[in-house]
Amino acid sequence: MAPSTASLEDFHSYILVTGANGGLGYSICCRLMDEFLRTRPSSHSLRLIITTRDKTKSHDTIAKLKDHIFRARRQHKIHEQSPLVAKIYLQAEQVDLCNLRSVQNLAKKLLHALPKLDAIILNAGLGGFAGVDWALAIWTILTNIPKSVTYPTFKLQHVGLVTGPQETIFSASAGGRQPELGTLFCSNVFGHYMLVHGIAPLLSNSTATPGRVVWIGSLEAYSSVFSTSDIQALKSSSAYESSKRLTDVLVLSSSLVSTQPFVRKFLPPPRDHRPPKQYVTHPGICATNMVPLHWILFYLMTAVFYFARWVGSPWHTVTPYKGACAPVWVALASQEELDGLEENEGAGKWGSGTNFQGDERVTRTEVQGWGLGGTVGDNVGLPKRKRPREAEDLTEEGREQFELLGRECWELMERLREEWEGLLGDDD
């Protein structure tokens, strides 16, 4: 008996990675291909869809990824005619996450071009960093290297960055003013939020396992810099950290009963199988060009990162490829494994880390107000070197406050999404 169309489709995986042209995003793509070739039988295939902001970057990235496949084939002595070579197909798309019309257009294109999406890794984003307070940097590094380069206090950020005018159906109206959109809020959270909502049917079409929405968070997701009264962080000097705290709160509260009225509007559940599932990951501390540095300072920063690892930091992955460990694992792990971990220990924030020798591993990361898995007492007794800057033992009151915060954030995000969808209209 021939297998059904649905069962045949289960052999083909579709994964989308945003911001794939360099740094962590490019390394996520390389590691996805490597892990897929290593763990999947030759009867399976992967279509890897990458996004960049323009066609030139897309062309260059595809060329580099093809070269990576060629080198991997030579390393593992895979013959050119082997079926393994044909297992991976690359597709490039363009999107500007700070341009909501661009996001809307990509969503519509993907809905017509793809049968499903098994996972989307939301990597693209901006740092908004203006420079470094060198006096503070030198002092903190000399006095406490691991802490200072894990939870830095010396990065300077722009305040009040907003996107350019959005192309709305009211753009030509006389005297019309658009609501402001914070640049970092839009690039790191809201642009992705709109994209995921737009392609929700594709994520729901993944029937073998729930479609996975893999957000990229950060160790610097401090609760002290986030406020729902300024959810876009337009008045904050820590807009990057605020966007990452918002990411943590949205994802970790997405399965709570109190947030379901809003989560179900964001990701409407399919009728006959499980709805898409959201996860939050982070790359540890790896050396990328997110903070603008002279090349000499970049290599000096990298050396300091290695030293921090050697003196006990569990989070200094240093290279983006090692930093890609957690998001790739979440994207490719069996659903049974992920469900089992969450059933036993609660939903968590999955981080890339290493040991002294640099062997990468995936580990739960503490989140203020949530702990390791949302269970009171689950973060008591953790080694100090593994705990975030604002770490506190989780209490019942703290857990309740986190749930209230999650509901408020989901309500605000859904209100904002509906407002902007009304402004954008349908350009078909």
Side-chain angles (χ1 to χ4, degrees):
M1 181 181 293
S4 67
T5 302
S7 62
L8 283 173
E9 194 61 51
D10 293 342
F11 292 108
H12 306 289
S13 297
Y14 293 77
I15 299 178
L16 189 152
V17 180
T18 65
N21 55 289
L24 180 64
Y26 174 74
S27 295
I28 287 173
C29 293
C30 291
R31 188 154 191 146
L32 268 171
M33 296 189 297
D34 292 344
E35 294 293 325
F36 192 90
L37 289 172
R38 186 178 65 83
T39 61
R40 297 299 195 271
S42 58
S43 57
H44 288 223
S45 68
L46 168 67
R47 178 168 292 276
L48 180 58
I49 305 103
I50 67 163
T51 74
T52 66
R53 278 186 282 181
D54 59 61
K55 290 184 177 180
T56 299
K57 289 181 179 178
S58 290
H59 180 271
D60 293 345
T61 303
I62 291 291
K64 289 193 299 180
L65 290 174
K66 286 181 177 178
D67 185 59
H68 180 85
I69 296 174
F70 176 77
R71 286 185 281 109
R73 188 174 70 224
R74 291 187 60 183
Q75 180 181 353
H76 297 289
K77 298 181 180 179
I78 300 173
H79 191 271
E80 188 172 354
Q81 300 303 318
S82 167
L84 289 175
V85 178
K87 287 179 64 175
I88 296 177
Y89 306 90
L90 301 174
Q91 176 179 333
E93 303 292 346
Q94 293 78 48
V95 66
D96 179 356
L97 290 166
C98 288
N99 182 327
L100 297 183
R101 179 68 72 193
S102 172
V103 172
Q104 185 184 64
N105 289 341
L106 175 62
K108 290 179 179 179
K109 181 178 180 180
L110 293 176
L111 285 175
H112 288 93
L114 301 178
K116 66 170 183 172
L117 265 179
D118 296 285
I120 177 171
I121 302 180
L122 306 173
N123 164 76
L126 299 172
F129 300 114
V132 173
D133 182 336
W134 287 108
L136 183 59
I138 293 170
W139 170 253
T140 56
I141 289 173
L142 289 176
T143 53
N144 191 334
I145 284 184
K147 182 177 180 181
S148 65
V149 294
T150 305
Y151 310 107
T153 58
F154 47 76
K155 291 185 293 187
L156 304 176
Q157 296 184 43
H158 298 287
V159 178
L161 293 178
V162 295
T163 67
Q166 301 290 326
E167 182 186 342
T168 71
I169 58 176
F170 304 109
S171 295
S173 62
R177 289 193 60 187
Q178 295 181 6
E180 284 188 329
L181 269 180
T183 300
L184 270 71
F185 169 75
C186 200
S187 66
N188 297 357
V189 184
F190 192 59
H192 280 138
Y193 191 91
M194 295 285 282
L195 177 61
V196 170
H197 177 74
I199 60 173
L202 294 178
L203 291 161
S204 294
N205 284 347
S206 180
T207 55
T209 62
R212 299 176 190 176
V213 181
V214 184
W215 293 82
I216 302 295
S218 170
L219 284 167
E220 299 175 69
Y222 310 130
S223 62
S224 61
V225 302
F226 177 75
S227 171
T228 53
S229 64
D230 184 22
I231 196 169
Q232 299 191 44
L234 290 170
K235 303 173 184 176
S236 174
S237 59
S238 302
Y240 173 79
E241 292 85 352
S242 175
S243 71
K244 296 304 180 181
R245 172 63 176 178
L246 175 58
T247 299
D248 283 359
V249 172
L250 288 172
V251 176
L252 294 175
S253 66
S254 63
S255 59
L256 300 178
V257 174
S258 61
T259 63
Q260 291 314 295
F262 310 106
V263 176
R264 287 173 175 268
K265 288 198 296 182
F266 171 60
L267 283 174
R271 292 182 178 180
D272 53 354
H273 52 274
R274 292 175 60 183
K277 174 73 175 172
Q278 299 187 72
Y279 299 90
V280 61
T281 68
H282 72 79
I285 305 295
C286 53
T288 68
N289 59 1
M290 183 166 279
V291 178
L293 293 174
H294 187 276
W295 68 269
I296 294 177
L297 294 174
F298 179 85
Y299 284 108
L300 181 60
M301 174 188 71
T302 304
V304 171
F305 285 180
Y306 276 112
F307 184 78
R309 177 202 290 174
W310 295 333
V311 297
S313 169
W315 297 122
H316 281 80
T317 50
V318 185
T319 66
Y321 189 86
K322 291 182 184 292
C325 176
V328 170
W329 173 74
V330 170
L332 294 180
S334 71
Q335 195 61 46
E336 292 76 14
E337 181 179 11
L338 293 174
D339 289 346
L341 288 167
E342 293 202 347
E343 182 178 346
N344 293 329
E345 304 171 30
K349 181 177 181 177
W350 301 103
S352 302
T354 64
N355 60 15
F356 174 86
Q357 292 86 2
D359 301 320
E360 56 265 54
R361 59 195 176 195
V362 178
T363 185
R364 282 180 179 266
T365 307
E366 186 175 357
V367 175
Q368 187 165 11
W370 186 256
L372 293 173
T375 302
V376 174
D378 68 5
N379 61 345
V380 174
L382 285 176
K384 188 175 181 180
R385 62 190 179 88
K386 284 191 172 183
R387 306 197 71 177
R389 192 174 76 185
E390 301 175 340
E392 296 177 352
D393 291 345
L394 183 60
T395 64
E396 196 68 48
E397 181 183 4
R399 172 66 169 71
E400 290 174 0
Q401 290 176 350
F402 188 91
E403 181 166 350
L404 291 172
L405 177 64
R407 178 182 171 85
E408 184 178 3
C409 288
W410 274 105
E411 183 175 7
L412 290 171
M413 291 294 288
E414 275 301 284
R415 189 184 304 165
L416 198 60
R417 176 184 66 79
E418 291 172 351
E419 177 185 10
W420 275 102
E421 285 184 346
L423 290 170
L424 292 169
D426 192 330
D427 63 347
D428 286 343

